[in-house]
Amino acid sequence: MFLFWVELICCRGIGGMMLAKVMRSLGGPKYDGKYLHEVVRQKLGDIKLNETITNIVIPTFDIKTLQPIIFSSYQIKKTPCLNAKLSDICISTSAAPTYLPAHSFINKDEEAGKEEEFNLIDGGVCANNPALVAMNEVTKQIINQSPDFFPIKPLEYGRFLIISIGTGTAKNEEKFNAQMAAKWGLLDWLTHSGSNPLIDVFTQSSGDMVDFHLSAVTQALHSEDNYLRIQDDTLTGIDSSVDIATEENLKKLCQIGENLLKKPVSRVNLENGHFEPLKSGETNEDALKRLAKILSQERRLREMRSPHTSRGRKNRHLA
Ligand SMILES: *[C@@H]1O[C@H](CO)[C@@H](O)[C@H](O)[C@H]1NC(C)=O
């Protein structure tokens, strides 16, 4: 059957060539991931999630159980099976459908003698903007009354400080409209004029929803200055690709990041969904400095109170 298709395609010139490309991408992921996996394993060795220098939260999605699996430093005490090798976690979270193969591994909880099997892909399918996932982890810590956090109410989002950095999105070129899409079948929704409408729609909308939600909640709580979203939504061509790792393109991406620092802080307009510069004129660079100062003060305070630091222990003793 497949051979017959190939033959049919060969007779059809340019249209046929495009179809051949489609057929190839229907046949497996764009990359086999061998080189990436080799580099990741070499760099990360046997380091596990409990050995990172700061708390981290990495979303993945298990396609066997159809559940998000969140690898969180906060969670491993409660669920030791999640204390996996960082290399396995990184390979999983980069396994974007159609680009890289899904990743499976087994992790053992030596103490309980239990093991858990994972079948993971990139958590972008459920949390393309992971800000809420991170906030969830902190909220759970507060519920469990971790001594590292102030005794605040779990949903006191006004006390949260959120820095959310996007990885850049393509400028909306209004490529599709209802008239076109009205005629689309399964294949057209998956691949149309060089893009993937269905995937674009899902990733864009799920990411935007999080920004929308955080923007509305922080404005309602009058804490909008504590929510900084930095994102470049004006990228075109190769700049907006997710898998072009030439030296030239990586340098270009650094430049895009540098330029972004100088741009004014922007916020999503809750009426029309556009990401618009604020009137205050504060640049992203200034805002990052302002928030860094608050973070640094907060850290010093926490270290003084926490039973997990030597300074904190001494203070407790004195108290
Ligand atoms: C991390 O967990 C492993 C068990 O999986 C343990 O052997 C190791 O000592 C732990 N490291 C730290 C820094 O807690």
Side-chain angles (χ1 to χ4, degrees):
M1 178 64 187
F2 185 69
L3 275 181
F4 167 74
W5 266 92
V6 172
E7 213 169 300
L8 198 71
I9 289 158
C10 288
C11 308
R12 290 209 178 160
I14 300 289
M17 266 161 66
M18 270 180 65
L19 200 53
K21 215 168 131 195
V22 170
M23 291 305 291
R24 238 192 346 266
S25 56
L26 289 177
K30 199 164 164 191
Y31 307 101
D32 64 17
K34 281 195 184 121
Y35 181 70
L36 175 72
H37 298 178
E38 192 187 305
V39 173
V40 169
R41 291 203 190 285
Q42 191 192 340
K43 297 271 180 214
L44 295 172
D46 289 329
I47 301 173
K48 288 191 144 188
L49 181 58
N50 65 336
E51 293 164 303
T52 54
I53 54 173
T54 188
N55 292 318
I56 56 172
V57 176
I58 303 179
T60 65
F61 188 82
D62 194 305
I63 50 171
K64 191 168 173 186
T65 59
L66 295 183
Q67 288 292 323
I69 303 285
I70 313 294
F71 289 96
S72 153
S73 310
Y74 293 120
Q75 201 60 39
I76 45 187
K77 265 196 211 101
K78 234 178 173 177
T79 323
C81 275
L82 289 178
N83 188 22
K85 275 200 266 186
L86 281 183
S87 58
D88 281 320
I89 298 174
C90 288
I91 290 170
S92 304
T93 196
S94 56
T98 75
Y99 285 97
L100 285 156
H103 182 58
S104 80
F105 63 93
I106 288 173
N107 195 37
K108 278 200 189 121
D109 170 9
E110 305 280 358
E111 248 171 60
K114 269 198 307 194
E115 53 177 44
E116 179 124 353
E117 181 196 328
F118 297 96
N119 293 270
L120 303 178
I121 60 170
D122 180 5
V125 293
C126 57
N128 198 33
N129 175 340
L132 276 181
V133 176
M135 288 176 66
N136 231 19
E137 288 304 309
V138 172
T139 303
K140 279 195 291 188
Q141 281 295 100
I142 299 171
I143 299 173
N144 296 332
Q145 298 188 325
S146 159
D148 284 341
F149 291 97
F150 266 87
I152 62 172
K153 294 193 197 89
L155 281 179
E156 219 176 316
Y157 282 167
R159 298 282 296 273
F160 279 51
L161 194 148
I162 311 149
I163 301 173
S164 163
I165 303 179
T167 51
T169 60
K171 183 171 175 230
N172 183 15
E173 294 174 69
E174 306 195 343
K175 271 195 282 192
F176 314 123
N177 60 41
Q179 209 181 356
M180 294 159 73
K183 302 189 195 81
W184 290 351
L186 185 59
L187 205 56
D188 305 282
W189 273 104
L190 285 175
T191 172
H192 199 274
S193 54
S195 57
N196 320 98
L198 197 60
I199 295 176
D200 289 353
V201 169
F202 274 119
T203 52
Q204 181 94 25
S205 58
S206 72
D208 282 356
M209 281 310 291
V210 171
D211 186 24
F212 235 76
H213 175 68
L214 286 179
S215 210
V217 167
T218 50
Q219 283 181 57
L221 295 171
H222 303 292
S223 65
E224 59 265 44
D225 285 346
N226 287 357
Y227 172 52
L228 174 64
R229 170 73 173 159
I230 299 182
Q231 171 73 311
D232 193 327
D233 61 357
T234 62
L235 305 181
T236 54
I238 288 178
D239 294 354
S240 68
S241 69
V242 294
D243 64 329
I244 304 203
T246 59
E247 198 178 332
E248 187 193 350
N249 195 38
L250 292 181
K251 277 192 184 142
K252 181 94 184 286
L253 290 175
C254 285
Q255 194 55 54
I256 290 171
E258 297 281 341
N259 297 346
L260 197 49
L261 282 174
K262 307 285 177 209
K263 289 190 186 167
V265 172
S266 299
R267 181 176 300 151
V268 63
N269 179 328
L270 295 177
E271 305 300 323
N272 60 21
H274 295 157
F275 198 52
E276 296 169 347
L278 297 184
K279 291 205 177 70
S280 74
E282 188 184 35
T283 63
N284 288 320
E285 193 171 30
D286 294 338
L288 281 171
K289 280 186 194 151
R290 173 170 59 81
L291 296 180
K293 214 174 267 173
I294 300 175
L295 279 176
S296 158
Q297 282 164 357
E298 175 73 19
R299 186 189 171 102
R300 233 173 292 154
L301 262 181
R302 278 192 205 176
E303 275 178 356
M304 269 158 55
R305 291 166 194 240
S306 171
H308 296 148
T309 62
S310 55
R311 219 184 327 164
R313 271 194 296 274
K314 209 158 83 196
N315 279 332
R316 282 210 153 196
H317 187 67
L318 291 176

